[in-house]
């Protein structure tokens, strides 16, 4: 370990030329800060919008294309390239160019994200832009002050105030209402209950849905084709879905380790979607009561509507974001062989913690996701007796893949080496006809696979027969199948209904309390 530590070099990215102007657009959801920044980008007609999600980059691309013409705007994400040499580029933060005229860096508070924050940090520290606009919550003001002490601050206020409306029941849901729960199963069960009262007029949103499916459901709600939308906290992560009333069906969520109360900033971020500017005078926020299997703490929601944490300059927020995360570049690890990577990552982490112990605004990003991907790739290569170059291994280790995509990532590694087992596996995955009888979960999984396949097709065009066209066709087929199966699940629910008597029950149990009691006695 000491030898690995001696090889690593811990350094911070540094810009050669300081920006002439840095402006922070900080404020809550629905305050117009993003609109103002995009308008400035449209006026400059040269620069970059960088956001945390593919959907946000696509939305900025669409809006800017309407304002200045689609021929002047490009889209660059891990999964797509469109007019990528245009003077204005909309991208995810990881794919943003390191230099340009004007940088609009959205959701700057994500610099403190434990797994992706370094992408923001590198732009904050080293982005060679003449002007920089930083967008985000007021909570990020301490971070902005540390990164750019001489910044200009523009505080944006909500266009519509939020009003707490207390408890509402299923029967009292009005048109333009969004109901929020915190798991896929809870959302599907709740959508089935709402559909009883609003047949065929319920939209559904959750993170596992392909982007096209989300857009279709959002459009149904925004256009009025759906009266009510049932959603997870995907609403708090860039889905711009304004509504008249937002109700919490739950105020607890499982965070991967335990079920806990939502934090005030999490509640506020979601609640901020309430209010349709120009259509209503204020946004209404409350809780859904009488559900039986779910409960929401009304006092918790009401208290979260007002910021209470002191920030610099007398401002109030919901938390203090004053750190930015950093992670290593391959050049810093001092390795020549892919087999040295894991030890080098561990060594870099140890050295970085010591090196930046007194850098009060820098923290080390979690390297566990990198190590999990590395392990999956190297184990599969070893099974087949294959070797991959250091550069290719590092590229795969940094792929946008969650834990459920590790097997596919390992297949990519084999494909790059030319292993014969990879092509038929990938050919099967790319075949849209496999979705003809697919369940909702299988279609969702195919959508996730299509997104990863798109990334691979851009990195390694044509390898093992994977092309962007085939991956896009699979993504489209998966999205269509998800929408079709959603309609069936919402109108004839299997989740949240007792398998014995058909009554409503908790979505995580197959039987209601009554039937479960009968079964246990029998």
């Amino acid at each position: 370990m000491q030898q690995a530590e001696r090889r690593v070099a811990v350094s911070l990215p540094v810009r050669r030329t300081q920006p002439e102007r840095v402006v922070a657009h900080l404020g809550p959801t629905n305050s117009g800060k993003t609109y103002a920044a995009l308008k400035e980008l449209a006026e400059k007609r040269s620069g970059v919008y960088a956001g945390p999600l593919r959907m946000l980059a696509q939305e900025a691309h669409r809006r800017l294309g309407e304002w200045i013409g689609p021929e002047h705007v490009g889209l660059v994400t891990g999964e797509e390239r469109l007019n990528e040499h245009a003077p204005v580029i909309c991208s995810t933060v990881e794919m943003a160019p390191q230099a340009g005229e004007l940088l609009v860096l959205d959701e700057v508070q994500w610099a403190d994200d434990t797994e992706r924050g370094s992408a923001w940090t590198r732009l904050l520290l080293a982005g060679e832009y003449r002007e920089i606009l930083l967008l985000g919550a007021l909570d990020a003001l301490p971070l902005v002050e540390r990164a750019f002490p001489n910044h200009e601050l523009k505080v944006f206020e909500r266009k519509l105030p939020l009003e707490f409306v207390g408890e509402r029941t299923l029967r009292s849901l009005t048109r333009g209402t969004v109901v929020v729960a915190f798991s896929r199963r809870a959302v599907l069960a709740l959508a089935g209950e709402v559909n009883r009262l609003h047949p065929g007029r319920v939209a559904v949103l959750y993170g596992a849905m392909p982007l096209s499916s989300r857009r279709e459901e959002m459009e149904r709600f925004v256009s009025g084709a759906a009266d009510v939308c049932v959603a997870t906290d995907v609403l708090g992560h860039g889905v711009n879905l304004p509504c008249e009333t937002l109700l919490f069906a739950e105020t607890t969520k499982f965070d991967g380790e335990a079920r806990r109360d939502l934090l005030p900033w999490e509640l506020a971020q979601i609640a901020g979607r309430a209010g349709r500017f120009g259509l209503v005078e204020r946004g209404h926020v409350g809780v859904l009561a009488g559900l039986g299997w779910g409960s929401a703490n009304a006092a918790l929601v009401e208290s979260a509507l007002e910021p209470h944490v002191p920030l610099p300059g007398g401002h109030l927020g919901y938390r203090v974001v004053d750190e930015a995360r950093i992670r290593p570049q391959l050049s810093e690890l001092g390795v020549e062989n892919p087999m040295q990577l894991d030890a080098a990552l561990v060594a870099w982490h140890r050295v970085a913690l010591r090196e930046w112990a007194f850098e009060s605004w820098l923290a080390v990003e979690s390297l566990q996701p990198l190590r999990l991907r590395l392990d999956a790739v190297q184990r599969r290569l070893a099974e087949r007796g294959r070797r991959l170059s250091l550069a290719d291994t590092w590229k795969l280790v940094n792929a946008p893949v969650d834990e459920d995509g590790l097997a596919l990532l390992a297949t990519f590694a084999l494909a790059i080496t030319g292993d014969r087992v990879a092509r038929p596996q990938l050919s099967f995955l790319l075949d849209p006809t496999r979705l003809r009888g697919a369940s909702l979960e299988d279609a969702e999984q195919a959508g996730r696979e299509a997104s990863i396949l798109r990334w691979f097709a851009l990195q390694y065009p044509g390898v093992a027969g994977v092309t962007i066209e085939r991956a896009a066709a699979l993504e489209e087929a998966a999205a269509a199948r998800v929408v079709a199966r959603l309609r069936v699940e919402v109108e004839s629910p299997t989740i949240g209904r007792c398998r014995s008597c058909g009554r409503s029950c908790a979505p995580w149990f197959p039987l209601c309390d009554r039937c479960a009691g009968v079964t246990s006695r029998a």
Side-chain angles (χ1 to χ4, degrees):
M1 183 60 70
Q2 290 181 346
Q3 184 178 2
E5 288 186 14
R6 285 194 294 270
R7 285 199 301 263
V8 304
V10 174
S11 62
L12 293 177
V14 179
R15 59 170 50 88
R16 297 183 300 274
T17 306
Q18 292 299 315
E20 297 176 8
R21 172 175 169 258
V22 177
V23 183
H25 287 199
L26 302 183
T29 305
N30 277 349
S31 60
K33 59 184 182 293
T34 305
Y35 179 87
L38 291 180
K39 274 294 186 183
E40 185 167 338
L41 184 55
E43 291 170 4
K44 297 282 185 183
R45 289 180 175 258
S46 178
V48 174
Y49 165 86
L53 301 172
R54 181 183 172 196
M55 178 174 273
L56 283 177
Q58 290 174 339
E59 172 61 21
H61 175 259
R62 182 195 61 78
R63 183 175 291 185
L64 287 165
E66 291 175 352
W67 291 346
I68 64 176
E71 69 276 13
H72 301 298
V73 187
L75 178 66
V76 178
T77 72
E79 298 82 10
E80 58 215 322
R81 305 283 191 279
L82 180 63
N83 197 18
E84 58 184 306
H85 300 296
V88 175
I89 294 295
C90 299
S91 72
T92 45
V93 175
E94 285 85 352
M95 302 302 296
Q98 279 294 119
E101 181 70 15
L102 170 65
L103 170 65
V104 176
L105 184 57
D106 204 357
E107 304 289 2
V108 66
Q109 68 272 8
W110 277 52
D112 193 27
D113 186 79
T114 57
E115 295 186 4
R116 291 182 60 200
S118 60
W120 279 258
T121 304
R122 291 194 176 276
L123 287 171
L124 289 173
L125 290 174
E128 297 282 349
Y129 287 87
R130 195 168 68 84
E131 297 179 278
I132 297 176
L133 297 184
L134 304 173
L135 280 55
L138 258 174
D139 304 347
L141 181 55
L143 171 64
V144 172
E145 289 188 340
R146 290 178 169 186
F148 297 102
N150 298 318
H151 73 280
E152 175 189 344
L153 175 64
K154 290 184 179 180
V155 177
F156 287 71
E157 303 290 342
R158 272 189 60 87
K159 293 181 177 294
L160 294 173
L162 293 177
E163 176 185 354
F164 184 69
V165 295
E167 295 184 347
R168 297 282 177 87
T169 65
L170 281 172
R171 291 193 174 278
S172 68
L173 297 184
T174 55
R175 188 173 182 179
T177 296
V178 169
V179 184
V180 180
F182 292 94
S183 73
R184 172 186 176 279
R185 294 186 69 85
V187 163
L188 291 175
L190 187 52
E193 293 298 315
V194 176
N195 189 71
R196 287 179 171 181
L197 303 169
H198 299 263
R201 299 186 64 82
V202 180
V204 179
L205 283 176
Y206 52 88
M209 297 170 62
L211 288 188
S212 295
S213 306
R214 291 192 213 175
R215 285 197 204 91
E216 187 166 336
E217 292 296 285
M218 289 167 64
E219 178 57 30
R220 289 183 64 236
F221 180 72
V222 171
S223 68
D227 297 333
V228 177
C229 179
V230 185
T232 62
D233 50 347
V234 69
L235 287 180
H237 296 86
V239 174
N240 186 17
L241 189 72
C243 58
E244 295 182 23
T245 302
L246 188 140
L247 303 176
F248 289 90
E250 301 175 292
T251 48
T252 62
K253 66 179 291 187
F254 183 72
D255 63 5
E257 296 182 3
R259 194 158 188 90
R260 61 167 176 83
D261 287 337
L262 270 83
L263 301 173
W265 70 266
E266 293 172 316
L267 289 164
Q269 194 172 42
I270 298 167
R273 295 298 171 193
R276 294 189 179 190
F277 184 65
L279 297 178
V280 294
E281 294 182 356
R282 61 187 62 238
H284 301 111
V285 179
V287 297
L288 186 66
L291 190 57
W293 50 264
S295 63
N297 186 326
L300 192 67
V301 173
E302 185 175 15
S303 65
L305 299 186
E306 292 295 334
H308 57 281
V309 175
L311 296 171
H315 299 289
L316 293 176
Y318 291 94
R319 56 174 175 156
V320 174
V321 179
D322 58 359
E323 287 187 335
R325 305 278 175 164
I326 198 72
R327 72 194 289 183
Q329 299 292 295
L330 179 59
S331 59
E332 298 174 49
L333 297 178
V335 299
E336 299 176 356
N337 187 315
M339 301 310 295
Q340 300 171 320
L341 272 174
D342 189 66
L345 286 169
V346 174
W348 185 93
H349 191 270
R350 290 164 61 93
V351 173
L353 287 176
R354 292 199 302 267
E355 190 82 12
W356 298 330
F358 301 104
E359 291 280 357
S360 59
W361 73 286
L362 289 174
V364 178
E365 190 175 280
S366 171
L367 301 185
Q368 189 61 17
L370 292 180
R371 297 182 67 198
L372 284 173
R373 295 178 203 131
L374 178 62
D375 178 66
V377 166
Q378 292 187 332
R379 279 192 295 107
R380 190 73 175 109
L381 289 171
E383 289 171 3
R384 298 289 299 171
R386 293 284 185 169
R387 292 179 178 272
L388 198 61
S389 72
L390 178 61
D392 285 330
T393 301
W394 185 249
K395 186 179 289 187
L396 290 180
V397 163
N398 284 276
V401 175
D402 295 327
E403 285 190 43
D404 67 350
L406 293 180
L408 180 53
L409 192 67
T411 301
F412 289 159
L414 292 181
I416 296 168
T417 67
D419 194 290
R420 59 183 175 79
V421 305
R423 182 177 284 268
Q425 292 176 6
L426 294 173
S427 181
F428 168 76
L429 290 178
L430 285 163
D431 185 2
T433 62
R434 69 185 175 95
L435 299 177
R436 285 176 182 163
S439 67
L440 177 57
E441 286 187 338
D442 287 343
E444 292 164 358
Q445 176 65 22
R448 291 190 292 272
E449 291 164 347
S451 180
I452 303 170
L453 286 159
R454 288 183 68 128
W455 173 86
F456 182 73
L458 289 173
Q459 301 299 319
Y460 299 94
V463 170
V466 180
T467 65
I468 192 68
E469 292 79 14
R470 294 182 71 188
L474 175 64
E475 189 173 48
E476 183 178 342
R481 183 63 181 173
V482 165
V483 170
R485 293 307 303 171
L486 267 179
R487 297 279 74 78
V488 174
E489 178 60 42
V490 170
E491 293 170 15
S492 302
T494 60
I495 297 173
R497 296 289 173 87
C498 176
R499 292 181 184 174
S500 179
C501 70
R503 291 189 179 92
S504 297
C505 70
W508 34 86
F509 295 127
L511 300 174
C512 66
D513 290 343
R514 179 184 299 179
C515 291
V518 170
T519 302
S520 62
R521 287 197 299 274

